[in-house]
Amino acid sequence: MSKQELRQAAFENGGVSYEESLEAEKLQPTIYERIGEDGFIELSNKFYERVFEDKKEQWFLNIFASSTKQEAIENQYRFLVQTFGGPDLYRQKKGKYTRLVGRHANFNIGTKAAHQWLYHMTSAIENHSTLDAESKAKLVRYFTYTAHYIVAAISYMRPDQLSGGKNIDPGKSW
């Protein structure tokens, strides 16, 4: 499946286009400049507090079983800082490429999981203490598109394209 077809599938499932998803990364001032590292720490903490306290959806929590809550918070925080205008904290830990699809392909992620992930992230965004309305709206669109893109792309991954785990990725691209 081509990247264009994957983008179309993500749009059809999530209702957000690739171009709309990029708006969060292009904001000026950047989201990083608006909320700083502390703001992203807050967002990651709020998200993972919700995930780890969600006892009604144990199946969803099981997706995160390969890392501790603190590891999950740190990885997400580093990714968010780097993606939305801050220093390359994620690259420093994980290697040159973010490879979101490859890093998530080892986990049981489908549409139901994408919706549950978005439920928790949208709540974390809405309850954030310093995010402005524009940033909130653009982040929700970014995450909606990205979650559905990951789901669409995972089914086309080859075993040699997976890059989950704790080791630095040497930079394979797929």
Side-chain angles (χ1 to χ4, degrees):
M1 182 174 259
S2 72
K3 226 174 237 269
Q4 199 58 20
E5 290 170 311
L6 290 173
R7 288 176 180 169
Q8 183 62 33
F11 172 72
E12 290 171 4
N13 291 324
V16 176
S17 72
Y18 172 69
E19 292 75 21
E20 290 172 315
S21 75
L22 294 178
E23 292 173 2
E25 294 179 59
K26 296 178 180 179
L27 271 176
Q28 289 301 321
T30 67
I31 296 175
Y32 177 80
E33 290 168 332
R34 294 172 190 219
I35 67 170
E37 288 185 24
D38 288 343
F40 285 112
I41 290 171
E42 178 186 342
L43 182 59
S44 295
N45 273 306
K46 285 183 180 298
F47 172 76
Y48 280 107
E49 285 296 325
R50 292 186 54 81
V51 168
F52 280 81
E53 291 175 7
D54 186 355
K55 302 305 179 201
K56 292 190 303 183
E57 305 292 349
Q58 188 63 42
W59 64 271
F60 184 69
L61 179 58
N62 291 341
I63 294 171
F64 301 90
S66 68
S67 63
T68 67
K69 182 173 153 184
Q70 192 55 44
E71 288 170 331
I73 289 168
E74 181 183 344
N75 285 333
Q76 184 183 73
Y77 148 77
R78 286 171 170 272
F79 173 79
L80 296 176
V81 165
Q82 179 173 314
T83 300
F84 298 110
D88 65 349
L89 300 179
Y90 191 81
R91 179 177 294 158
Q92 291 170 18
K93 182 176 181 184
K94 295 286 191 172
K96 186 174 180 181
Y97 301 104
T98 56
R99 302 194 68 236
L100 283 181
V101 175
R103 292 194 191 282
H104 289 83
N106 284 324
F107 306 102
N108 184 20
I109 298 174
T111 302
K112 183 178 178 183
H115 287 289
Q116 191 66 17
W117 193 96
L118 288 167
Y119 169 74
H120 288 307
M121 181 53 81
T122 300
S123 179
I125 289 168
E126 290 304 320
N127 291 299
H128 194 279
S129 67
T130 59
L131 274 170
D132 59 272
E134 179 183 33
S135 297
K136 286 179 180 183
K138 292 190 185 303
L139 282 171
V140 168
R141 285 196 293 271
Y142 172 86
F143 289 125
T144 299
Y145 172 83
T146 302
H148 290 287
Y149 184 89
I150 289 170
V151 170
I154 281 176
S155 62
Y156 295 96
M157 295 291 293
R158 297 185 317 263
D160 65 319
Q161 294 172 312
L162 306 180
S163 61
K166 299 177 184 199
N167 296 327
I168 290 184
D169 184 341
K172 290 183 183 177
S173 60
W174 65 278

